């Protein structure tokens, strides 16, 4: 089909939505981007881009900027609270770059601003999206209507596009709370520790350290509910001493970003001219670091299948058939990893560390290609075509 004849409306301007808008616009489509956050540059903590996500962004010219702002890290070694290895990274070790999320978002926003085929609207909250291409949004208290040939719902786990269509979505109840933070000290461990209080990991980013932790015990959850930073520090100091300098560098509880993992599965990703992408279609546990990366792969594959198809309906169907099984496999694996990582019972952790993980390492093959979902060369070629 002729991409240049399409008017595409992308709902959501984060990583997946911005990449979708850029890929489609550079392929010739006229794109309207709606983002509910008025100033999205300031949002977020840290983000890891793997080989698949990097390939998509490099395909439309962000390679030099990514190299300047990202910090190359190895796939993390997974250890226990005493630093003993539980899971070694796959060999050869895949490429990963860590970013401050606002730095990555800034690169994408600058690219959006430089693309003449993209019309941007920030502070525009979508109310409804219809399968015939109509969208109603609220901007500064006013109701604004848009119409497009294709509406891409890249608006995250609480997607308004998904809520508006027939996607047979299943939302799993929120899981264990996670906290994330950026601190301006060089104290990254470069490992992910599976401890009796949950997960704790830290990695270098531009100008500091990004760390994350889960709240796997009542003491952790109580400290979070009470906004008790000292109590949180004390729990982690007892459980995992390498956390001490990182939590000590957090100035106030408000500097922590808190969320609960919410998984989303959709039997259908397409309803008329509505199509889902990223967390709107397949929000997953964070344990493989493939949330944003999978959204970027979605964006590239959507363009690829639209180019190949005789018409819009056929392209959307092929996109769904190509992406849904691949990302479902990653989501299942990530959920399994999360369940193992969050074991806090001492007996269960002993069985996991001494029996299950060694057995899995002997029986399991190289899953890197399945986690990446598409070949790097393929993703690079789609954006450069």
């Amino acid at each position: 089909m002729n991409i240049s004849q399409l008017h595409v409306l992308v709902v959501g301007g984060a990583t997946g939505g911005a990449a979708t808008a850029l890929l489609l616009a550079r392929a010739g489509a006229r794109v309207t981007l709606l983002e509910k956050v008025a100033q999205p540059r300031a949002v977020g903590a840290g983000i890891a881009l793997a080989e698949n996500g990097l390939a998509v962004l490099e395909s439309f010219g962000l390679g030099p900027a990514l190299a300047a702002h990202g910090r190359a890290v190895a796939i993390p070694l997974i250890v226990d609270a005493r630093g003993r290895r539980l899971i070694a990274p796959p060999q050869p070790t895949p490429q990963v770059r860590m970013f401050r999320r606002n730095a990555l978002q800034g690169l994408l926003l600058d690219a959006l601003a430089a693309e003449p085929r993209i019309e941007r609207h920030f502070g525009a909250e979508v109310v409804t999206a219809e399968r015939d291409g109509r969208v109603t949004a609220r901007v500064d208290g006013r109701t604004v209507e848009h119409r497009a040939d294709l509406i891409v719902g890249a608006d995250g786990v609480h997607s308004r596009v998904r809520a508006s269509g027939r996607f047979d979505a299943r939302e799993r109840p929120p899981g264990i709370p996670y906290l994330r933070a950026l601190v301006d000290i060089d104290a990254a461990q470069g490992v992910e520790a599976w401890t009796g209080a949950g997960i704790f990991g830290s990695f270098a980013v531009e100008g500091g350290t990004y760390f994350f932790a889960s709240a796997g015990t009542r003491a952790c959850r109580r400290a979070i509910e009470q906004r008790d930073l000292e109590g949180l520090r004390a729990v982690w100091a007892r459980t995992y001493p390498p956390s001490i300098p990182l939590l000590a560098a957090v100035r106030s509880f408000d500097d922590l970003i808190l969320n609960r993992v919410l998984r989303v599965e959709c039997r259908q990703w397409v309803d008329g001219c509505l199509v889902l992408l990223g967390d709107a279609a397949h929000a997953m546990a964070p344990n493989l670091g493939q949330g944003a990366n999978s959204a970027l792969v979605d964006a590239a594959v959507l363009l690829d299948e639209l180019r190949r198809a005789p018409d819009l309906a056929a392209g959307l169907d092929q996109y769904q058939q190509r992406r849904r099984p691949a990302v479902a496999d990653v989501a299942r694996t990530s959920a399994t990893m999360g369940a193992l990582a969050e074991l806090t019972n001492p007996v269960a952790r002993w069985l996991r560390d001494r029996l299950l993980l060694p057995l899995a390492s002997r029986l399991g093959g190289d899953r890197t290609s399945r986690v990446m979902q598409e070949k790097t060369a393929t993703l690079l070629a789609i954006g450069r075509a």
Side-chain angles (χ1 to χ4, degrees), residues 208-232:
T209 300
Y210 163 61
F211 74 88
F212 55 91
S214 62
T217 63
R218 291 178 182 175
C220 278
R221 292 192 289 274
R222 187 182 310 114
I224 289 172
E225 291 166 2
Q226 297 175 355
R227 297 174 56 83
D228 180 5
L229 182 56
E230 287 302 323
L232 191 65

Side-chain angles (χ1 to χ4, degrees), residues 197 219-220 223 228-241 243-244 247-248:
C220 278
D228 180 5
L229 182 56
E230 287 302 323
L232 191 65
R233 287 169 175 157
V235 171
W236 277 107
R238 292 192 300 270
T239 305
Y240 187 58
S243 69
I244 293 172
L247 282 166

Side-chain angles (χ1 to χ4, degrees), residues 159 294 339:
S159 170
S294 294

Side-chain angles (χ1 to χ4, degrees), residues 18 102 107 131 147 226 232 295 327 353 361:
N102 60 359
L107 297 177
R131 67 192 312 271
R147 182 178 287 274
Q226 297 175 355
L232 191 65
V327 81
D353 299 350
S361 67

Side-chain angles (χ1 to χ4, degrees), residues 189-193 199-203 209-214 240 246:
Q189 301 295 316
V191 299
E192 179 177 297
I199 299 171
F200 196 101
S202 59
F203 299 91
T209 300
Y210 163 61
F211 74 88
F212 55 91
S214 62
Y240 187 58
L246 292 164

Side-chain angles (χ1 to χ4, degrees), residues 312-337:
L312 180 62
L316 295 179
D317 183 62
Q318 286 301 116
Y319 159 72
Q320 174 179 253
Q321 290 189 38
R322 181 171 163 185
R323 288 299 297 139
R324 188 173 174 272
V327 81
D329 180 59
V330 173
R332 284 192 297 268
T333 303
S334 190
T336 299
M337 287 278 287

